[in-house]
Amino acid sequence: MKGFVLLALAGATAVVLWVSAAGAAHTGGPLAQSAAATKLHIPLSKAAGLRPRSLKGVPSKGSYAFLLKLAVQPTGRVYNANLSLGKAAARAAAESQFATVRAAESRVTAALPSGSHVLYKMHAIMAGVAVYTKVANLPALQRISGVSAVYPIAPKKPSLSYSVYLEHAPQVWQQYGDLGENSTVAIIDTGIDYTHADLGGSGDPADYQTALANDTSAPSFPDSSKILGGFDFAGDDYDASGDVGSTTPSPDPNPLDCNSHGTHVAGIIAGYGENPDGSVFDALHHPSDYESLSALSSSDYQNTFKIGPGMAPLAKLYSYKVFGCDGSTNLVAAALDRAADPDDNGSTADHVDVVNMSLGSDYGSPQDGDSVASNAASQLGISVVAAAGNGGDLYDVGGSPGNASRVIGVAASQDAYSQIDTLHATVNAVPKTYGAQRSVAYDWANDPDLSGTVVELADASNKDGCDPISQNLTGKIVFLEWTDDDSVRRCGSAARSQNAEDAGAIGAILGEDEEVFAAGITGSADIPVVQVVKSASDEIEAALDASQTVTVSGTTANDFEQDFPANDDKVAGFSSRGIRIAGDVKPDVTGVGVSVFSAGMGTGDDGLSDSGTSMATPEVAGLSALIRSQDTPWSPEEVKADIMNTAGQDLFTGDNHTGDKYAPGRVGA
């Protein structure tokens, strides 16, 4: 590769699925962590002689997940060490070592304390066994013969068109004539809806339902040139915390998404893009169509697509599902190990080029088990990209595994464009359309839409509806105030939706205090709930205060466009400040992570808008795929350096590139 300079990351930031500290579930931003998942610091090793009390954040009782590193070489290192003898000799050596690792795993598994259960085993990036066991068993784990170190595993949570344009991906496609076709990316997430048109599927929602009905059977990917393979390490009912499912995974061969997060991420990395009618923007047969996009203005570019292309539209994907339909996961390292050996035969000759992990655990340690595994994957030649997290501007909140030294940790920024839902209303007999977003928990496709007369709460001390509502709301839609300020927001969308339902409301409108949504809302599974932007909130509230009639006639999806150029290159408020450890400054770089529009699970050919470092991360993973597609001999460290060194846009505190510039501890390079 000669003189390959990335033109992207002019806007800098990343996206992640999250739940606010107040408990409101979101579809893209920071995820609240349990107390047991927030402060992990150092690994336990027998050499260091550390005791359980040294693990801050790990509960003193109960059960927890731990990664046991074994004192044998992983197959990946054996493969690399023998490459000087030729690839055939390296494969043979790795396959021989595979048997050695499996035997060591069996000995350790047999010695586990009673009541422990094995989450997974690793052989490629590290020889290891992950277990879920009582915290009291930690000293016994350390004493097992053949175990060289014990690392805690913090439960991880899952942390377009305009953003790709802003980051200059079309200029890269045009200058180098490369759409990522020579690269492979493993997406470690909630799975992928491989029936979606943007990812090479039929685009028929009925095909998703058929796949869902057979989601434990080996899949037949509709477009094998897009998705090469995958595996479900979790099963749909798995949840590491046990709050919404079983702590015991139920693996199967089908990585079909049942959450939508992974599908959205996949579209950002490598979606083909769709024409306004939902047909595929055909990269396979007309790659020059992508290269010509660099000459378009931003508005013309947006008008060309229903869903814009991903950063590397022809990159090939592996889908590794580590989440159930809801909840957290302890299975990340299992997927990293499979990404290093997709056919699971011991040889890492077929390892992927790039791994994307739009997930994390706030206040995680670089010595978290998944961070250690991420560094090991990088040492094998894999570029690992992970979300910085959505914990906000708090010191050391930056999460694992995005804080691993060899990983590209991605923060999130804003951009000008958002594509959101519409609330159709009538205010004092005047028809209105308002920018809105539907709640996640409600089945909008099959249950009644939001419709009826709007009222506000008479209790001035409970305008947000966070306290139980005594007012009779039977048959009414209630308007409730909302703020994005975590320090003053009293409760989340689920709590206030439940209070409204208990008072008899048939729906709820949450009035924002910002013009751009920072994240999605959970709402209620029983009644329709929408959030409206500040301008809409102000108008509705003023009308209600003046005793004017406000009615709602319904909502429509993805047809309200916002364009605020002043927001380009501002930091997303939820994006995590990095850690402060010598030699490990985080985050590394920023990508756009606010209101990113990409493929929506089960929709056939439609999309949805999500926010979080979860969305910024796949933009950087896509950039990594473009570099690796150039058949460069660069190591992951060199790819990381290239991305950081060519990320030329500062991020600002004010509108239109005004105010102070952010330093690396907040936004990276």
Side-chain angles (χ1 to χ4, degrees), residues 229-608:
F231 192 78
D232 181 355
F233 292 89
D236 289 354
D237 190 47
Y238 170 72
D239 170 32
S241 68
D243 293 337
V244 295
S246 171
T247 58
T248 302
S250 300
D252 66 63
N254 194 339
L256 183 69
D257 195 357
C258 60
N259 176 283
S260 203
H261 189 264
T263 299
H264 195 268
V265 164
I268 297 170
I269 294 174
Y272 289 130
E274 295 177 16
N275 297 306
D277 64 359
S279 62
V280 177
F281 194 77
D282 192 355
L284 290 174
H285 302 103
H286 305 286
S288 61
D289 289 350
Y290 288 82
E291 296 165 18
S292 65
L293 294 171
S294 62
L296 298 179
S297 67
S298 62
S299 59
D300 288 342
Y301 185 90
Q302 292 170 58
N303 292 334
T304 300
F305 303 108
K306 180 176 184 177
I307 300 176
M311 292 294 291
L314 286 188
K316 301 170 179 63
L317 303 178
Y318 286 90
S319 174
Y320 295 127
K321 181 174 178 286
V322 297
F323 292 94
C325 297
D326 295 291
S328 57
T329 184
N330 286 326
L331 306 176
V332 171
L336 279 167
D337 202 61
R338 184 64 62 88
D341 182 12
D343 59 7
D344 200 30
N345 68 349
S347 171
T348 54
D350 54 347
H351 71 68
V352 302
D353 298 310
V354 181
V355 163
N356 184 90
M357 294 187 291
S358 291
L359 48 79
S361 174
D362 290 348
Y363 293 107
S365 166
Q367 292 297 316
D368 177 89
D370 293 331
S371 294
V372 172
S374 297
N375 280 336
S378 178
Q379 287 178 297
L380 288 186
I382 300 170
S383 291
V384 182
V385 187
N390 300 317
D393 194 6
L394 303 173
Y395 285 107
D396 297 326
V397 73
S400 59
N403 57 19
S405 59
R406 295 176 182 272
V407 163
I408 306 175
V410 186
S413 68
Q414 298 187 54
D415 65 7
Y417 181 77
S418 300
Q419 187 170 337
I420 56 179
D421 303 326
T422 300
L423 175 68
H424 299 276
T426 300
V427 177
N428 200 28
V430 179
K432 298 284 185 176
T433 55
Y434 294 126
Q437 62 175 349
R438 294 165 162 178
S439 57
V440 173
Y442 191 70
D443 187 355
W444 294 90
N446 298 304
D447 291 339
D449 202 352
L450 187 67
S451 180
T453 301
V454 182
V455 298
E456 61 181 339
L457 296 182
D459 185 354
S461 66
N462 191 32
K463 288 291 188 179
D464 58 6
C466 285
D467 297 328
I469 299 170
S470 58
Q471 183 176 338
N472 184 359
L473 300 176
T474 301
K476 303 296 184 181
I477 298 169
V478 64
F479 176 85
L480 303 173
E481 294 179 350
W482 178 276
T483 178
D484 279 337
D485 187 344
D486 288 343
S487 66
V488 298
R489 186 171 64 241
R490 298 199 300 152
C491 71
S493 64
R496 62 188 83 193
S497 299
Q498 186 62 56
N499 288 338
E501 182 182 355
D502 291 344
I506 59 172
I509 298 172
L510 309 183
E512 256 281 12
D513 61 354
E514 299 286 346
E515 202 62 25
V516 176
F517 297 124
I521 57 168
T522 296
S524 167
D526 300 322
I527 61 172
V529 178
V530 299
Q531 191 175 33
V532 295
V533 298
K534 184 180 186 301
S535 57
S537 174
D538 292 346
E539 190 169 314
I540 292 171
E541 189 166 25
L544 294 173
D545 289 344
S547 299
Q548 296 175 349
T549 301
V550 179
T551 59
V552 170
S553 58
T555 63
T556 50
N558 302 326
D559 57 352
F560 193 97
E561 295 185 350
Q562 296 176 301
D563 193 3
F564 300 113
N567 283 339
D568 278 346
D569 305 318
K570 292 168 64 178
V571 173
F574 56 74
S575 188
S576 291
R577 178 174 285 278
I579 59 174
R580 299 175 292 173
I581 296 177
D584 192 13
V585 176
K586 292 289 177 173
D588 296 302
V589 75
T590 297
V592 175
V594 175
S595 295
V596 179
F597 193 75
S598 182
M601 177 198 78
T603 64
D605 61 6
D606 209 347
L608 55 86

Side-chain angles (χ1 to χ4, degrees), residues 19 48 79 91 117 147 165 195 238 278 284 299 339 409 423 457 558 560 596 632 642 658:
V19 177
Y79 177 85
R91 279 195 294 270
H117 71 254
V147 173
Y165 178 90
T195 71
Y238 170 72
L284 290 174
S299 59
L423 175 68
L457 296 182
N558 302 326
F560 193 97
V596 179
T632 171
D642 186 51
T658 61

